[in-house]
């Protein structure tokens, strides 16, 4: 009884934390990329490139869908590409593209990109603008599917836990049928008898719930420590908020509630069969 | 064995003359289990307050079945039952516990709670009635002492002998000073000396005003209580050898039969 509750609470706590972290991660990633776009001008002639970049910035400054932009300095681009191109001296040999990070206004539409593209085409024929969300879209939708799977999993796990707790407290009472009958014959009222068992199940369930909760939290924090070691920006977006922690803390309380309710209903229904 | 019987109130009901208050009335009661034939048929009798009744009959005659009706563990298939002046057949379920608390029952199979000590088993009726812990230690200890089990107070039923379990069951039945004591073969597992001692306890309770009903097929036991009235069950029907069931009852009964 105690261990069934402990194990079910532990599993549910870990699953809930995982699902919530994943869900936070997806929302953070989506918020991060949805408003961002990158403008590239691939043109070998530096003069031409600079001129097109200049003109493109003029278009961006005039467009109503653009919130802001920043031309990425050449050194930064060189740094970015260093792993592929090697350092410095032959930078002349491989022409770098001009890159402008563009921040779009929220609620940006595909039509905005199309309009922006045609406007750019006129002044900077070599410019290409890509919304980051476009190429991150498959990743995001995969993450999102994963998130929903995690939620479905915890819904499943929660109902299995509830059923396990229900069965465990029924079993715990099965062994006490004789006691129920005796106290009944000695003049105990239904409510009195139910309260005796609620109390004993409450103690078991509370201890089990606490053990499971502590074990679950230990697992979560060791996982969190391992993910934090990855130092990836995306994992950082997966940290849990106070409300998330609160809902995780509700798991053992919920388990105890089910156990006590089951104890009461089981005793009352078995008593109602007697005179 | 003439130790002080541990019952507080020592006022002697008998000295005020026999009270003729009806405590139980069965009216043409029949009982069948499932769809079988009736194990009890046409049972009619009245029990009066402060009397001592024996219920005898061969094994299988229906003694336990009749007592079950009496201690409200079973509803009759037909007929009427009145207890403490109320019709218990039509009484709603939630009113019955209060009636059960006015009775003490010694079950044929003891029905001790396995996981409670002898002490806690005996204390159970008092706890059910809401007696405070501080107020129940002494009476429970006294009662255990009287049935000779003070040294086994902390023992679980499983570690007690049959006779010891029976004495715990009896202590539990009388601890609450019930208005009616219902005992099913209460001396089945004890030696004759203990049997007599237990009958003394029942008599003492009876003198304090408790109506006593003892089911037994031990005829020797009947002789130990000269004032008793006898009901006899035979194949589910009630015979009335001593006129116990008539009103007013004849009192001589088996007096003098003891040798
Ligand atoms: N729960 C039950 N279901 C079906 N039949 C029962 C049940 N209890 C008792 N009986 C039957 O009812 C009849 C009377 O049984 P009861 O236990 O009342 O006899 P008794 O006089 O107490 O016998 P004993 O002296 O052996 O205790 C028996 O034939 C028995 O088989
Ligand atoms: Mg019997």
């Amino acid at each position: 009884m105690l261990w069934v509750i402990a194990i079910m609470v532990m599993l549910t706590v870990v699953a809930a934390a995982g699902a919530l972290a994943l869900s936070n991660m997806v929302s953070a990633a989506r918020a991060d990329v949805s408003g961002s776009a990158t403008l590239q001008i691939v043109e070998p002639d530096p003069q031409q490139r600079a001129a097109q970049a200049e003109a493109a910035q003029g278009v961006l400054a005039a467009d109503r869908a653009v919130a802001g932009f920043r031309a990425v300095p050449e050194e930064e681009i060189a740094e970015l590409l260093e792993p592929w191109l090697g350092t410095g001296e032959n930078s002349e040999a491989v022409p770098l593209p001009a890159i402008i990070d563009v921040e779009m206004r929220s609620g940006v539409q595909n039509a905005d990109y199309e309009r922006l593209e045609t406007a750019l085409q006129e002044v900077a024929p070599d410019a290409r603008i890509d919304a980051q969300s476009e190429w991150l879209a498959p990743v995001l939708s995969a993450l999102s599917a994963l998130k929903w799977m995690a939620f479905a999993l915890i819904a499943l796990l929660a109902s299995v836990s509830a059923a396990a707790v229900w069965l465990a407290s029924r079993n715990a009472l099965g062994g006490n049928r004789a006691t129920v009958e005796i106290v009944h014959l000695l003049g105990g009222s239904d409510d009195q008898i139910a309260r005796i068992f609620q109390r004993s199940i409450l103690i078991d369930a509370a201890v089990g719930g606490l053990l499971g909760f502590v074990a679950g939290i230990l697992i979560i924090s060791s996982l969190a420590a391992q993910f934090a070691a990855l130092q990836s920006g995306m994992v950082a977006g997966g940290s849990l908020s106070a409300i998330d922690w609160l809902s995780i803390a509700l798991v053992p309380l919920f388990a105890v509630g089910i156990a006590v309710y089951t104890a009461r209903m089981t005793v009352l229904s078995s008593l109602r069969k007697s005179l | 064995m003439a130790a002080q019987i541990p019952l507080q109130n020592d006022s002697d009901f008998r000295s005020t003359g026999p009270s003729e208050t009806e405590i139980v009335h069965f009216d043409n009661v029949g009982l069948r289990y499932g769809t079988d034939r009736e194990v009890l048929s046409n049972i009619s009798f009245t029990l009066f307050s402060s009397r001592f009744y024996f219920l005898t009959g061969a094994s299988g005659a229906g003694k336990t079945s009749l007592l079950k009706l009496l201690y409200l563990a079973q509803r009759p298939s037909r007929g009427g039952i009145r207890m403490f002046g109320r019709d218990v057949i039509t009484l709603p379920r939630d009113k019955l516990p209060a009636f059960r608390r006015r009775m003490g029952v010694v079950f044929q199979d003891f029905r001790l709670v396995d996981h409670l000590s002898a002490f806690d088993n005996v204390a159970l009726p008092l706890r059910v009635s809401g007696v405070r812990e501080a107020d129940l230690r002494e009476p429970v200890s006294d009662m255990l002492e009287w049935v000779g089990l003070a040294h086994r107070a902390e023992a679980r039923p499983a570690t007690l002998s049959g006779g010891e379990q029976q004495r715990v069951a009896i202590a539990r039945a009388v601890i609450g000073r019930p208005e009616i004591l219902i005992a099913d073969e209460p001396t089945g597992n004890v030696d004759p000396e203990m049997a007599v001692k237990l009958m003394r306890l029942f008599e003492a309770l009876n003198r304090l005003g408790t109506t006593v009903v003892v089911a037994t097929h031990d005829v020797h036991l009947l002789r130990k209580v000269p004032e008793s009235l006898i009901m006899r069950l035979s194949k589910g029907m009630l015979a009335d050898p001593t006129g116990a069931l008539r009103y007013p009852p004849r009192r001589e009964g088996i007096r003098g039969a003891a040798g």
Side-chain angles (χ1 to χ4, degrees):
Chain A
M1 167 73 203
L2 195 152
W3 292 110
V4 171
I5 292 189
I7 290 168
M8 291 328 258
V9 165
M10 183 190 82
L11 290 177
T12 311
V13 160
V14 172
L20 289 170
L22 205 55
S23 148
N24 290 347
M25 202 153 103
V26 172
S27 335
R30 176 162 292 148
D32 236 21
V33 300
S34 70
S36 304
T38 308
L39 193 151
Q40 286 185 69
I41 297 162
V42 184
E43 163 57 58
D45 175 27
Q47 250 105 62
Q48 277 253 339
R49 189 164 72 228
Q52 285 196 26
E54 193 80 16
Q57 286 183 47
V59 172
L60 289 174
D63 198 280
R64 59 187 148 85
V66 175
F69 57 88
R70 184 180 79 98
V72 181
E74 213 160 288
E75 311 83 71
E76 224 173 282
I77 298 167
E79 214 172 288
L80 213 59
L81 296 178
E82 194 186 273
W84 287 278
L85 302 181
T87 39
E89 60 270 10
N90 48 3
S91 64
E92 297 296 312
V94 181
L96 296 175
I99 294 179
I100 302 171
D101 277 345
V102 184
E103 206 53 48
M104 308 295 285
R105 283 190 205 287
S106 56
V108 67
Q109 308 276 322
N110 265 344
D112 293 316
Y113 280 109
E114 279 161 24
R115 186 196 57 242
L116 203 52
E117 257 162 34
T118 31
L120 284 168
Q121 214 63 58
E122 283 170 22
V123 296
D126 296 314
R128 246 186 54 215
I129 185 159
D130 287 314
Q132 281 182 10
S133 59
E134 221 162 88
W135 42 271
L136 265 180
V139 179
L140 284 176
S141 75
L143 276 177
S144 178
L146 211 58
K147 174 185 90 176
W148 288 117
M149 258 170 66
F151 276 120
L153 204 69
I154 88 163
L156 200 71
L157 197 60
S159 24
V160 170
S161 295
V165 170
W166 170 271
L167 285 175
S169 30
R170 272 188 77 106
N171 258 341
L173 290 171
N176 288 304
R177 186 130 304 149
T179 310
V180 170
E181 206 183 338
I182 292 162
V183 179
H184 174 69
L185 286 174
L186 292 179
S189 68
D190 290 5
D191 189 53
Q192 233 176 351
I193 299 171
R195 277 206 311 266
I196 298 173
F197 287 99
Q198 275 165 247
R199 201 176 325 131
S200 84
I201 293 272
L202 173 71
I203 293 167
D204 261 19
V207 173
L210 193 68
L211 284 179
F213 183 67
V214 169
I217 294 295
L218 287 180
I219 292 175
I220 295 172
S221 24
S222 89
L223 284 179
Q226 282 178 29
F227 274 111
L230 293 179
Q231 289 190 326
S232 147
M234 248 196 180
V235 175
S239 63
L240 297 172
S241 69
I243 289 171
D244 295 337
W245 284 113
L246 205 66
S247 38
I248 289 171
L250 285 179
V251 170
L253 294 181
F254 191 62
V256 169
I258 293 173
V260 171
Y261 177 79
T262 312
R264 182 174 182 81
M265 287 303 133
T266 310
V267 173
L268 288 184
S269 82
S270 94
L271 279 172
R272 267 193 279 272
K273 283 181 208 124
S274 62
L275 179 60
Chain B
M1 279 293 154
Q4 181 65 39
I5 293 166
L7 299 167
Q8 293 85 4
N9 184 357
D10 275 323
S11 69
D12 192 346
F13 273 59
R14 280 293 162 84
S15 63
T16 62
S19 141
E20 299 297 346
T21 321
E22 169 201 299
I23 192 159
V24 175
H25 180 75
F26 273 47
D27 182 21
N28 212 21
V29 166
L31 173 67
R32 66 174 81 236
Y33 292 108
T35 55
D36 289 353
R37 53 169 192 81
E38 286 193 328
V39 298
L40 292 173
S41 298
N42 308 329
I43 305 287
S44 298
F45 63 86
T46 306
L47 302 182
F48 293 97
S49 170
S50 312
R51 292 276 157 73
F52 198 121
Y53 298 89
F54 276 113
L55 177 64
T56 66
S59 180
K63 300 183 294 296
T64 299
S65 302
L66 197 155
L67 295 190
K68 275 188 191 163
L69 295 173
L70 213 50
Y71 59 71
L72 301 174
Q74 184 86 50
R75 261 187 211 290
S77 319
R78 61 189 176 89
I81 298 179
R82 200 162 59 227
M83 298 193 81
F84 307 115
R86 295 286 298 274
D87 173 9
V88 292
I89 305 292
T90 56
L91 216 57
R93 258 194 94 246
D94 61 326
K95 293 281 186 294
L96 294 177
F99 280 75
R100 294 194 182 99
R101 288 179 199 190
R102 299 167 74 174
M103 317 180 209
V105 185
V106 183
F107 303 95
Q108 190 165 12
D109 51 357
F110 315 147
R111 305 230 190 155
L112 301 177
V113 179
D114 297 330
H115 59 86
L116 295 183
S117 66
F119 182 96
D120 288 328
N121 266 285
V122 174
L124 207 51
L126 299 182
R127 294 201 168 117
V128 165
S129 310
V131 175
R132 288 183 307 144
E133 288 301 306
D135 296 338
L136 60 73
R137 293 223 77 84
E138 201 179 310
V140 172
S141 300
D142 288 353
M143 187 57 74
L144 278 170
E145 176 133 13
W146 201 82
V147 295
L149 288 174
H151 62 295
R152 304 290 278 145
E154 292 312 315
R156 298 283 164 102
T159 68
L160 296 172
S161 76
E164 287 170 336
Q165 289 181 35
Q166 191 148 37
R167 283 180 274 156
V168 173
I170 289 169
R172 184 180 70 185
V174 302
I175 188 76
R177 286 288 314 281
E179 289 172 56
I180 178 169
L181 174 70
I182 301 162
D184 199 350
E185 296 291 356
T187 57
N189 290 277
V190 297
D191 57 54
E193 196 189 334
M194 182 47 84
V196 171
K197 195 179 163 194
L198 292 174
M199 282 306 119
R200 292 286 157 273
L201 171 63
F202 288 1
E203 278 186 283
L205 262 169
N206 180 235
R207 267 195 297 279
L208 293 177
T210 297
T211 305
V212 177
V213 182
V214 176
T216 183
H217 43 228
D218 177 4
V219 284
H220 298 293
L221 205 59
L222 311 186
R223 297 176 182 151
K224 304 285 193 253
V225 188
E227 305 247 310
S228 64
L229 303 162
I230 297 173
M231 305 158 70
R232 216 171 77 79
L233 268 175
S234 172
K235 297 195 179 110
M237 308 277 273
L238 203 53
D240 186 14
T242 60
L245 313 177
R246 273 197 297 273
Y247 180 81
R250 275 194 298 133
R251 298 292 300 283
E252 69 273 20
I254 44 160
R255 181 173 287 163

